[in-house]
Amino acid sequence: MREMILIIISAVLINNIVLSQFLGVCPFLGVSKKLSSAIGMGAAVIFVLTLSSLITWVVQIFVLDKLGIGYLQTIAFILVIAALVQFVEMVMKKNTPDLYKALGVYLPLITTNCAVLGVAIINIQKSYTFMQTLANSIGNGIGFTLALIIFAGIRERLEEADVPMSLNGLPIALITAALMSISFLGFTGLL
């Protein structure tokens, strides 16, 4: 149990998928303008990232490795992720149409979110067990969501701030993201 907690804390703070490993930057920048959209996207990413990592672990161990076709890993993982995103999209469209509209094009882009594919591959590369894969996936999903929520909160405040005209919009967002990344470096050596 202690090992699982350490994996989760490491994934959330120390090896944050967005701020330390720079995976999933597109939705990080694209959906972070409003806090409500960030929370919805974070929840969707946690769900897809966790389920896809577990399913891809099973596919890798019991199909690709057993048949000696590990070279098909990326294709198989992308198919699993795409199917899960379609499922999430259908559920959100039916149950939360406002959030579905707010996320817009970024929801289907979870399919190509390199963070989701990256975590699935990292779990295999680190030879994690099924439970370790679960812990790492949940931790990375929470870390992605945490970074997205913090960034969205800062960007909402920046909309009201007196920012020089040349830095309005994306430039100040990128500077903010860089400062957040530097601040997360402070967690290095925590574990």
Side-chain angles (χ1 to χ4, degrees), residues 53-64:
S53 290
L54 295 176
I55 293 170
T56 55
W57 184 89
V58 169
V59 167
Q60 180 73 38
I61 301 300
F62 295 110
V63 178
L64 300 177

Side-chain angles (χ1 to χ4, degrees), residues 2 20 26 28 31 39 57 78 88 93 97 103 115 125 145 150 155 163 167 171 173 175 190:
R2 181 173 184 246
S20 295
C26 290
F28 177 70
V31 185
I39 292 170
W57 184 89
I78 288 172
V88 168
K93 189 174 186 179
L103 292 177
Q125 287 177 342
T145 304
I150 292 170
R155 284 186 78 178
V163 177
L167 294 178
I175 292 169
L190 182 67

Side-chain angles (χ1 to χ4, degrees), residues 11-13 16-19 23-24 27-28 31-32 34-50 110 113 115-116 137-153 180 184:
V12 172
L13 298 176
N16 187 289
I17 198 78
V18 177
L19 300 174
L23 294 173
F28 177 70
V31 185
S32 60
K34 292 188 178 183
L35 194 57
S36 59
S37 298
I39 292 170
M41 178 61 129
V45 167
I46 290 172
F47 179 76
V48 169
L49 197 141
T50 302
I110 294 176
N113 184 347
V116 177
S137 302
I138 290 171
N140 275 294
I142 292 169
F144 180 88
T145 304
L146 175 69
L148 199 61
I149 289 171
I150 292 170
F151 193 52
M180 283 180 60
F184 267 68

Side-chain angles (χ1 to χ4, degrees), residues 6-7 22 26 31 51 63 76 89 103 105 109 116 120 128-130 141 166 178-179 182-183 185 189 191:
L6 290 176
I7 289 173
F22 307 109
C26 290
V31 185
L51 268 182
V63 178
E89 193 172 356
L103 292 177
V105 71
L109 285 178
V116 177
Y128 280 158
T129 65
F130 187 80
S166 61
L179 292 172
I182 291 170
S183 69
L185 283 174
L191 297 177

